[in-house]
Amino acid sequence: MSDPRLDTTRVIRATTGPEKTAKSWLTEAAKRMLMNNLDPDVAEHPQSLVVYGGIGRAARDWACFDKIVEVLDRLEDDQTLLVQSGKPVGVFPTHPDAPRVLIANSNLVPAWANWEHFNELDKKGLMMYGQMTAGSWIYIGSQGIVQGTYETFVAMAKQHFNGNASGKWILTGGLGGMGGAQPLAGTMAGFHMIACEVDESRIDFRLRTGYVDVKATSLDQALALLEQAKASGKPTSIGLLANAADVFAELVQRNIIPDVVTDQTSAHDPLNGYLPQGWSMSEAAERRLQSPEQVVKAAKQSMAVQVQATLDMQSKGAVAVDYGNNIRQMAQDEGVQNAFDYPGFVPAYIRPLFCEGVGPFRWVALSGDPDDIYKTDQKVKELIPDNPQLHHWLDMAREKIHFQGLPARICWIGLKDRARIALAFNEMVKSGELKAPIVIGRDHLDSGSVASPNRETEAMLDGSDAVSDWPLLNALLNTAGGASWVSLHHGGGVGMGYSQHSGVVIVADGTEAAAKRLGRVLWNDPGTGVMRHADAGYDIAKNCAREQGLDLPMLSTKE
Amino acid sequence: MSDPRLDTTRVIRATTGPEKTAKSWLTEAAKRMLMNNLDPDVAEHPQSLVVYGGIGRAARDWACFDKIVEVLDRLEDDQTLLVQSGKPVGVFPTHPDAPRVLIANSNLVPAWANWEHFNELDKKGLMMYGQMTAGSWIYIGSQGIVQGTYETFVAMAKQHFNGNASGKWILTGGLGGMGGAQPLAGTMAGFHMIACEVDESRIDFRLRTGYVDVKATSLDQALALLEQAKASGKPTSIGLLANAADVFAELVQRNIIPDVVTDQTSAHDPLNGYLPQGWSMSEAAERRLQSPEQVVKAAKQSMAVQVQATLDMQSKGAVAVDYGNNIRQMAQDEGVQNAFDYPGFVPAYIRPLFCEGVGPFRWVALSGDPDDIYKTDQKVKELIPDNPQLHHWLDMAREKIHFQGLPARICWIGLKDRARIALAFNEMVKSGELKAPIVIGRDHLDSGSVASPNRETEAMLDGSDAVSDWPLLNALLNTAGGASWVSLHHGGGVGMGYSQHSGVVIVADGTEAAAKRLGRVLWNDPGTGVMRHADAGYDIAKNCAREQGLDLPMLSTKE
Ligand SMILES: NC(=O)c1ccc[n+]([C@@H]2O[C@H](COP(=O)([O-])OP(=O)(O)OC[C@H]3O[C@@H](n4cnc5c(N)ncnc54)[C@H](O)[C@@H]3O)[C@@H](O)[C@H]2O)c1
Ligand SMILES: NC(=O)c1ccc[n+]([C@@H]2O[C@H](COP(=O)([O-])OP(=O)(O)OC[C@H]3O[C@@H](n4cnc5c(N)ncnc54)[C@H](O)[C@@H]3O)[C@@H](O)[C@H]2O)c1
């Protein structure tokens, strides 16, 4: 039997322009965004339906993909489609202010929430790994992560190097769907970088799209290039074709210590996401089918080597930070007891932003026309005139970031701005200034939408890291508010068992009804983030709640 | 510091009658149902906010209870209150067709979803155990479970004793909030019963309310009473003051084998729910505070004894069934390797009902007037004329079941009936035939609302027992449809780590708007159950979906 997930004849690209075949822009948008997730310029392995992050898929299999498209084309504006781990399982009566699609991906009852059980169900065709924005149809390629990474690197430079990264270098691993954003974000923030990657095609892809400056095929070559870059003074990124565990350990051996050390291999998925030391890629591909347990074991052992080297570098003065791929947990499982001695990037650099609901707000032009995005860039600058860092980002993004698939933009803004900006976009659609509706969403990695104790909710002030009531409430509230599609996922980013999170997407189609929904949903969604952090006791969040007039019943009595 | 969860001065009873203080009947209903959950005639330990099932609570603490009531009184009909593990954390703008309350209780990221971590957070005041209908404000006392148990015993009699239970007897443990329904349901179905219970006040309570016929204080006395009952031919239930583990083992010893053996101690919660052999209740209460690990260990060891005895009885011809308290898992943890050799009651007796969306539909008269319920009983008989078993239930319920708190009724009906019945009730409210609105809800233990591999989803046809996308979709869809309040819980029934489930409640206030919502929600809610079972491959469900015209996009292509 042929694999229902692989179809090498398929090349999917979203329809563009102002004509729709679906019955409303809400469903047309869902369809285009699903397709856009599988655009060959966007997805990592589109013909296997894999969007990013190891095996994060957009639909269960090709039959499900086709059926979802078919249903979205026939769905009425008082009906809602249910998607269960990438499969369209039901259509039910709702009403115009309800979401058109509700999605639950990869969720398992906790005692069974591990990769072994997931893989078993996945193999049987009963599940799909949704990652964060793969299964919820709002992945926009590497740009999505560039700004997050850029914000993190800028915060790092501020915190550790007096705001000046010049002459400093970052060592990292992984140039995949998300990790590939590191070199561009790093040089934007003023650093040099060596990024280890075992898959040469990934390096070449990043060279072509301008994310990586130069390729090296040996550590010596990479170090020589680094010296040249330092001498020139121009921030330079080097893609090094090598196994990260080998390189990290070798550098410790040679006592060459980077200024910053991190990693973005897909360590969260030891079966599919991390190449063990000494293995070739094709060898790994074969063994994944034949003896998956062995692969997992070998991968975790190599991760332990890499984490140990990271700790050694930290003890010699490097700034070490975990970039949210759960590699510390894997290494700890393999006996590196102090794996968590270096922090995650969220408590270190991102949490203060989350306290004000600031996170990865993003939007996409359904017209397919880059001009629509440039106009919205301009609008954002007008409406937020007092944020030079944001203006700098928008300028650099326009200059350096190639659009992948539908033109899109991301910028990190919070409770006080999201609804305002969205309503302005809706006006631009209404007036005809933009050629077609705008889709507005975010990553699941956001202020109020995720419980992930090794990443987004690591080391919460009150110890509530593992409480996942919050993302569930976020999804329920976004459904109640009238988002266009809402999703609840498990295991994104850090892997099975380690996270629960929700996604939201809403369409600005220029109507009055959309304006009402946008006003609610894009207030409520960051609002739940401020609420969650205020409840945990963060002063920034409590102040933000008071300033913005958020209605948190227990807040005043708590002080 | 005093315990914020204990207030011995508080006696809560729901307001009744046609006047409301809240701004709509939707919020008035939520308030009354919250209060009703804590009525001393309904709740097990109302002054500690404990409703049933070990430590299942209605609100985090008394300050949260008061604040919820206050917010429900001020909530506008375009606002929604968020409740996180019993605490009112936020009020957000929504719209009239959105739920007024959204609840998430006891949810933990899987890798931390165990009793140790929960208890730690619970102690810190960060969480609350919601059980199923405790934290979602739709517990209606023992009646709720009487019919479920009755349906199970009737199915048992059919399957094993040619439909005739006379002269047969059931051995069980636990006469708590739910377990206390066993003796009444058992005699209604024609069985005799010996039910072991360590807490004399629980036996006395059941004697007073007519659920248990007679009390025994020793095994010999109980066996003598059983012989008398058999001789008389009248189905009789005996509450035996004794530890179930002791009694079960002793009966095996004496080679006295019941016809049916089961258990409803709160084994799912080894710290609070099960008394170890040889301990007094007060001793246990003390040790729970001082050395919780010891209590858990001792309780699980006694459970192992009880399960081993159950297996021995099974091998000697008894029908053994697990009644959904996770005691098999606990015994297996303690080394009883074949603990799962006897089935759960769901795959054995309930699943065929779930395939048609049949489950514990229930409703409550906000007037407080029993007549309102009797009128609805009559309406149900009129609208479902061809179901003698249902008519028999309604007659017996009226005769034998004392109302606890607000008058309420339960009957198991499915996809084809729920919306129809609800709309008829709404008409009766509109016409003034009923004195006040009716609240309609169900247990979380229902066809489409729960993933619980040791209970409701044990041994699914396709092996999808642990997939919890389904209850999440159920909650999202009920939110989208416009239920009055919707909840997502973890750990109900079988304990932390072993289940995820959702609740729904909707108010029939006699308005046209309510009729629209009722029509949607009470079609969709059982519809997700039929969908889930059809997807798993059950023919009954597939046929039901086709007959009822459920829109399941992948169904036809699958055949
Ligand atoms: N914001 C965040 O928290 C955040 C951001 C980005 C990525 N991440 C996490 O980072 C990880 C990477 O994400 P992605 O989308 O780029 O995944 P991906 O699977 O697309 O890319 C991973 C890359 O690592 C490479 N790789 C695997 N093993 C290697 C090894 N031993 N040495 C060198 N390279 C190796 C692979 O060839 C691949 O290109 C994921 O775990 C993701 O969840 C988190
Ligand atoms: N439909 C279902 O699946 C279903 C239905 C009913 C109950 N249950 C499960 O059954 C259990 C009981 O529920 P409940 O609400 O009645 O709980 P509960 O805590 O109110 O009652 C448990 C009772 O067991 C008694 N008990 C504890 N240890 C004992 C022992 N060793 N011997 C004899 N008696 C003992 C306690 O004194 C208490 O009265 C729970 O685990 C619940 O989830 C499941």
Side-chain angles (χ1 to χ4, degrees):
Chain A
M1 239 207 63
S2 68
D3 180 352
R5 285 182 161 176
L6 179 68
D7 185 344
T8 53
T9 69
R10 307 287 293 243
V11 179
I12 306 292
R13 291 185 196 273
T15 336
T16 55
E19 306 302 327
K20 59 180 167 55
T21 57
K23 296 189 175 177
S24 82
W25 274 107
L26 309 194
T27 43
E28 180 74 18
K31 189 182 56 175
R32 291 189 186 184
M33 291 303 294
L34 163 61
M35 290 174 161
N36 192 55
N37 263 14
L38 294 171
D39 186 309
D41 292 339
V42 174
E44 293 289 336
H45 303 291
Q47 295 177 331
S48 305
L49 296 149
V50 170
V51 183
Y52 77 98
I55 53 163
R57 284 190 162 81
R60 180 97 59 98
D61 56 32
W62 282 104
C64 288
F65 170 84
D66 290 334
K67 186 61 79 176
I68 293 169
V69 169
E70 183 189 314
V71 173
L72 288 172
D73 264 338
R74 72 162 160 94
L75 206 72
E76 302 290 341
D77 72 358
D78 59 357
Q79 291 185 319
T80 295
L81 165 66
L82 303 187
V83 175
Q84 182 262 324
S85 283
K87 178 179 181 180
V89 288
V91 173
F92 289 91
T94 54
H95 57 81
D97 270 329
R100 294 284 72 81
V101 189
L102 295 167
I103 300 171
N105 286 326
S106 330
N107 297 284
L108 287 168
V109 176
W112 291 263
N114 53 59
W115 279 113
E116 292 76 54
H117 194 68
F118 173 83
N119 288 334
E120 201 182 292
L121 293 167
D122 190 53
K123 222 177 193 167
K124 278 192 193 168
L126 293 170
M127 283 212 120
M128 176 197 87
Y129 185 47
Q131 259 285 13
M132 292 192 146
T133 53
S136 58
W137 314 340
I138 184 71
Y139 186 63
I140 56 169
S142 291
Q143 186 194 167
I145 200 67
V146 174
Q147 201 201 13
T149 314
Y150 166 78
E151 298 249 355
T152 307
F153 289 157
V154 166
M156 251 177 204
K158 277 192 191 152
Q159 208 164 303
H160 305 291
F161 310 114
N162 286 318
N164 183 1
S166 76
K168 309 290 178 192
W169 70 287
I170 299 171
L171 173 68
T172 188
L175 292 175
M178 306 184 81
Q182 296 178 99
L184 178 57
T187 53
M188 276 181 173
F191 289 92
H192 306 291
M193 175 176 288
I194 294 179
C196 312
E197 169 59 61
V198 290
D199 183 346
E200 189 157 13
S201 72
R202 298 289 182 107
I203 302 178
D204 293 341
F205 176 69
R206 294 300 171 179
L207 278 170
R208 269 202 316 279
T209 51
Y211 276 52
V212 162
D213 295 320
V214 52
K215 173 165 75 173
T217 51
S218 74
L219 177 55
D220 288 329
Q221 189 193 357
L223 290 170
L225 287 165
L226 179 65
E227 285 318 307
Q228 283 172 28
K230 282 189 180 179
S232 81
K234 183 175 170 292
T236 303
S237 58
I238 300 150
L240 167 55
L241 181 62
N243 192 303
D246 291 342
V247 171
F248 280 44
E250 174 71 18
L251 285 171
V252 171
Q253 198 68 25
R254 298 196 196 177
N255 202 26
I256 299 175
I257 307 302
D259 299 287
V260 175
V261 54
T262 187
D263 180 60
Q264 283 197 34
T265 58
S266 272
H268 72 274
D269 178 359
L271 178 59
N272 302 292
Y274 190 95
L275 187 73
Q277 290 177 278
W279 295 29
S280 73
M281 302 238 321
S282 58
E283 201 178 333
E286 206 162 290
R287 291 214 215 165
R288 272 170 195 139
L289 296 174
Q290 275 146 23
S291 43
E293 301 81 13
Q294 266 184 34
V295 178
V296 167
K297 185 72 188 166
K300 290 176 81 169
Q301 281 170 344
S302 294
M303 291 182 210
V305 169
Q306 188 179 338
V307 168
Q308 187 55 55
T310 302
L311 289 163
D312 293 345
M313 291 176 186
Q314 183 188 33
S315 73
K316 294 188 173 179
V319 173
V321 69
D322 176 287
Y323 220 112
N325 63 353
N326 216 17
I327 195 169
R328 292 173 300 173
Q329 181 72 52
M330 299 292 163
Q332 200 181 53
D333 291 351
E334 287 301 310
V336 182
Q337 285 180 10
N338 62 333
F340 283 83
D341 275 4
Y342 61 97
F345 72 110
V346 174
Y349 309 110
I350 302 292
R351 184 143 315 136
L353 305 175
F354 279 175
C355 284
E356 299 191 301
V358 173
F361 185 75
R362 59 180 61 177
W363 62 97
V364 178
L366 289 181
S367 64
D369 189 335
D371 271 347
D372 275 3
I373 291 299
Y374 301 144
K375 285 178 188 161
T376 56
D377 282 348
Q378 196 47 42
K379 180 62 76 178
V380 172
K381 285 190 189 175
E382 270 168 51
L383 288 174
I384 310 180
D386 54 349
N387 187 336
Q389 200 176 325
L390 178 66
H391 288 227
H392 182 55
W393 160 256
L394 291 171
D395 293 339
M396 282 196 300
R398 177 164 180 166
E399 181 190 327
K400 296 213 175 187
I401 286 182
H402 306 218
F403 291 130
Q404 298 167 260
L406 292 173
R409 183 64 75 224
I410 177 164
C411 67
W412 280 48
I413 57 176
L415 178 63
K416 73 178 167 45
D417 293 317
R418 290 198 200 186
R420 241 162 31 91
I421 299 287
L423 290 169
F425 291 174
N426 198 53
E427 277 301 313
M428 294 167 81
V429 175
K430 184 178 174 186
S431 72
E433 193 179 343
L434 302 180
K435 297 192 191 67
I438 295 284
V439 167
I440 299 171
R442 58 160 171 76
D443 197 357
H444 293 206
L445 177 161
D446 196 3
S447 158
S449 53
V450 54
S452 182
N454 289 354
R455 198 165 94 174
E456 289 88 342
T457 54
E458 177 175 339
M460 292 293 291
L461 204 54
D462 61 349
S464 61
D465 310 17
V467 178
S468 59
D469 293 333
W470 302 103
L472 299 179
L473 287 173
N474 175 270
L476 292 174
L477 182 62
N478 284 333
T479 301
S484 306
W485 60 101
V486 175
S487 53
L488 269 172
H489 289 194
H490 160 240
V494 287
M496 288 295 137
Y498 293 96
S499 62
Q500 284 174 272
H501 37 90
S502 64
V504 61
V505 183
I506 181 164
V507 179
D509 64 6
T511 61
E512 267 317 294
K516 283 197 186 140
R517 292 191 293 258
L518 288 161
R520 288 194 296 257
V521 170
L522 292 170
W523 165 263
N524 291 350
D525 182 48
T528 64
V530 177
M531 167 181 81
R532 192 261 180 277
H533 288 85
D535 192 75
Y538 290 92
D539 286 332
I540 309 179
K542 290 189 213 171
N543 292 336
C544 175
R546 289 200 191 94
E547 271 165 38
Q548 298 298 316
L550 210 56
D551 186 347
L552 308 183
M554 300 296 286
L555 186 59
S556 48
T557 65
K558 235 175 121 182
E559 310 312 279
Chain B
M1 238 209 66
S2 69
D3 180 352
R5 284 183 162 176
L6 180 68
D7 186 343
T8 53
T9 69
R10 307 286 294 244
V11 180
I12 307 292
R13 289 185 197 274
T15 336
T16 55
E19 306 301 328
K20 58 180 168 54
T21 57
K23 296 188 175 176
S24 81
W25 274 107
L26 309 194
T27 44
E28 181 73 18
K31 189 181 56 175
R32 291 189 185 184
M33 291 304 294
L34 164 61
M35 291 174 160
N36 192 55
N37 262 15
L38 294 171
D39 187 308
D41 292 339
V42 175
E44 293 289 337
H45 304 291
Q47 294 177 330
S48 305
L49 296 149
V50 170
V51 182
Y52 78 98
I55 53 163
R57 284 190 163 82
R60 180 97 58 98
D61 56 31
W62 282 104
C64 288
F65 170 84
D66 290 333
K67 186 61 78 177
I68 293 170
V69 169
E70 184 190 313
V71 172
L72 288 173
D73 265 338
R74 72 163 161 93
L75 207 72
E76 303 290 341
D77 72 0
D78 59 357
Q79 291 184 319
T80 295
L81 166 64
L82 303 188
V83 175
Q84 182 261 324
S85 283
K87 178 179 181 179
V89 289
V91 173
F92 289 89
T94 53
H95 57 81
D97 269 329
R100 294 284 71 82
V101 189
L102 295 168
I103 299 172
N105 287 325
S106 330
N107 297 285
L108 287 168
V109 176
W112 290 263
N114 54 58
W115 279 113
E116 293 75 55
H117 194 70
F118 174 83
N119 288 333
E120 202 182 291
L121 293 167
D122 191 53
K123 221 177 194 167
K124 279 191 191 169
L126 293 171
M127 282 213 120
M128 177 196 88
Y129 186 47
Q131 261 284 14
M132 291 192 147
T133 54
S136 59
W137 313 340
I138 184 71
Y139 186 62
I140 56 168
S142 291
Q143 186 194 168
I145 200 67
V146 174
Q147 203 202 10
T149 314
Y150 166 78
E151 297 250 357
T152 307
F153 290 156
V154 166
M156 250 177 205
K158 277 192 192 151
Q159 207 163 303
H160 304 291
F161 311 115
N162 286 317
N164 182 1
S166 76
K168 309 290 178 192
W169 71 286
I170 300 171
L171 172 68
T172 188
L175 293 175
M178 305 184 81
Q182 296 177 98
L184 178 56
T187 54
M188 276 181 172
F191 289 92
H192 307 290
M193 176 177 288
I194 294 180
C196 311
E197 168 60 61
V198 289
D199 183 346
E200 189 157 15
S201 72
R202 300 289 181 105
I203 303 178
D204 293 341
F205 175 71
R206 295 300 171 180
L207 278 169
R208 268 202 315 279
T209 51
Y211 277 51
V212 162
D213 295 319
V214 51
K215 173 165 76 174
T217 52
S218 74
L219 177 56
D220 287 329
Q221 189 191 356
L223 290 170
L225 287 165
L226 179 67
E227 285 317 308
Q228 283 172 29
K230 283 188 178 179
S232 80
K234 183 175 171 292
T236 303
S237 58
I238 300 152
L240 168 56
L241 181 63
N243 192 303
D246 292 341
V247 170
F248 281 43
E250 174 71 18
L251 285 171
V252 170
Q253 199 67 24
R254 298 196 197 176
N255 202 26
I256 298 176
I257 307 302
D259 299 288
V260 176
V261 55
T262 187
D263 180 60
Q264 283 198 33
T265 59
S266 270
H268 72 273
D269 178 0
L271 178 59
N272 302 293
Y274 190 94
L275 188 73
Q277 290 177 279
W279 296 28
S280 73
M281 302 238 321
S282 59
E283 201 178 333
E286 207 163 289
R287 292 213 215 165
R288 271 170 195 140
L289 297 174
Q290 275 147 20
S291 43
E293 300 81 13
Q294 264 183 35
V295 178
V296 167
K297 185 71 188 167
K300 290 176 82 169
Q301 281 170 344
S302 293
M303 290 182 211
V305 169
Q306 188 178 338
V307 168
Q308 187 54 57
T310 302
L311 289 163
D312 293 345
M313 291 177 186
Q314 183 188 33
S315 74
K316 294 187 173 181
V319 173
V321 69
D322 177 288
Y323 219 112
N325 63 352
N326 216 18
I327 195 169
R328 291 173 300 173
Q329 181 73 51
M330 300 291 164
Q332 199 180 53
D333 292 352
E334 287 301 311
V336 182
Q337 287 181 8
N338 62 332
F340 283 82
D341 275 5
Y342 61 98
F345 71 111
V346 174
Y349 308 110
I350 302 292
R351 183 142 315 137
L353 304 175
F354 280 175
C355 284
E356 299 192 299
V358 173
F361 185 75
R362 58 181 61 176
W363 62 98
V364 179
L366 290 180
S367 64
D369 189 335
D371 271 347
D372 276 4
I373 291 297
Y374 300 143
K375 285 177 188 161
T376 56
D377 282 348
Q378 196 47 43
K379 180 63 74 179
V380 172
K381 285 190 189 175
E382 269 168 52
L383 288 174
I384 310 181
D386 54 348
N387 186 337
Q389 200 176 324
L390 177 66
H391 288 226
H392 181 54
W393 160 256
L394 290 171
D395 293 339
M396 282 196 300
R398 177 165 182 165
E399 180 191 328
K400 297 213 174 186
I401 287 181
H402 305 217
F403 290 131
Q404 298 167 259
L406 293 173
R409 183 65 75 224
I410 176 164
C411 67
W412 280 48
I413 57 177
L415 177 63
K416 71 178 168 46
D417 293 316
R418 291 198 198 185
R420 242 164 28 95
I421 299 287
L423 289 169
F425 292 174
N426 197 52
E427 277 301 313
M428 293 167 80
V429 175
K430 185 178 174 185
S431 72
E433 193 179 342
L434 303 179
K435 297 192 190 68
I438 294 284
V439 167
I440 299 170
R442 59 159 170 77
D443 197 358
H444 293 205
L445 177 161
D446 196 3
S447 158
S449 53
V450 54
S452 182
N454 290 354
R455 198 165 93 174
E456 289 88 341
T457 53
E458 177 175 341
M460 293 292 291
L461 203 54
D462 61 349
S464 62
D465 309 18
V467 177
S468 58
D469 293 333
W470 302 103
L472 299 179
L473 287 174
N474 176 270
L476 293 174
L477 181 63
N478 284 332
T479 301
S484 305
W485 59 100
V486 175
S487 52
L488 268 172
H489 289 193
H490 160 242
V494 287
M496 287 296 137
Y498 293 96
S499 63
Q500 283 174 273
H501 37 91
S502 66
V504 61
V505 183
I506 181 163
V507 179
D509 64 7
T511 61
E512 267 317 294
K516 282 198 187 138
R517 292 190 293 259
L518 288 160
R520 288 194 297 256
V521 170
L522 292 171
W523 165 262
N524 291 350
D525 182 49
T528 65
V530 177
M531 168 181 80
R532 192 260 181 279
H533 288 85
D535 192 76
Y538 290 92
D539 286 331
I540 308 179
K542 291 190 214 171
N543 292 336
C544 175
R546 290 201 190 92
E547 271 166 38
Q548 298 298 315
L550 210 57
D551 186 347
L552 308 183
M554 299 296 287
L555 186 60
S556 49
T557 66
K558 237 174 119 182
E559 309 313 277

